[in-house]
Amino acid sequence: MKRILLMLVMCAATMSMHAQKFALIDMDYIFKNIPAYERANEQLTQVSKKWQAEVDALTTEAQTMYKNYQNEVVFLSKEQKQAKQDAIMQKEKEASDLKRKYFGPEGELFKKRTALMTPIQDEIYNAVKDIAELRGYQLVLDRASDTGIIFGSPKADISDEVLKKLGYSY
């Protein structure tokens, strides 16, 4: 009796799996074909380089102060040594704080990336959702996200359709 019940459950599960429709998209491909995404990426790269140069300048200044301190240490009084050490530590702290401000988990780069990329990602999500609802897909997977998809038929890839819905030619 248990065997028959188990067989029925397995058959029902198999039948329901065959009834589901799915599609694939390639987000990397979609992003590369959206000029606004490329512009946003370039903007992020430029601002990141600018901010990194500011951090590097402070770090270099701290290193220079330390090298000068090492060269002068034998000639300095105890108070002068302490003052120089404090100044060096303050400069290193400034560099560290600036780096955290720009590149930290909630830093300026994260905020800028969110501001620039979220509208584009939302637009893509809405296009994918519309196509999925229109065609009856229960699942849409991103083949570019390295989720373990070993093979995906090109017939199941709707990336070009998403781009077309967004108004970009492919």
Side-chain angles (χ1 to χ4, degrees), residues 89-112:
M89 287 174 35
Q90 180 60 33
K91 191 59 71 175
E92 288 173 343
K93 185 179 180 330
E94 285 177 39
S96 176
D97 290 347
L98 190 62
K99 185 174 184 175
R100 187 172 33 268
K101 175 186 171 193
Y102 288 150
F103 303 108
E106 295 293 322
E108 296 299 317
L109 187 62
F110 173 79
K111 291 175 186 172
K112 189 153 188 77

Side-chain angles (χ1 to χ4, degrees), residues 25-74:
I25 60 171
D26 186 336
M27 288 300 288
D28 289 344
Y29 173 76
I30 291 170
F31 284 143
K32 286 178 186 171
N33 284 285
I34 297 178
Y37 179 81
E38 293 296 321
R39 284 191 302 274
N41 243 354
E42 182 58 32
Q43 215 175 338
L44 288 171
T45 300
Q46 293 302 321
V47 77
S48 178
K49 285 179 182 177
K50 177 184 168 218
W51 289 340
Q52 187 61 48
E54 289 178 37
V55 171
D56 290 346
L58 281 176
T59 303
T60 302
E61 194 175 335
Q63 289 171 345
T64 302
M65 289 171 70
Y66 181 71
K67 286 178 186 174
N68 291 340
Y69 168 76
Q70 285 180 319
N71 291 336
E72 301 168 349
V73 72
V74 292

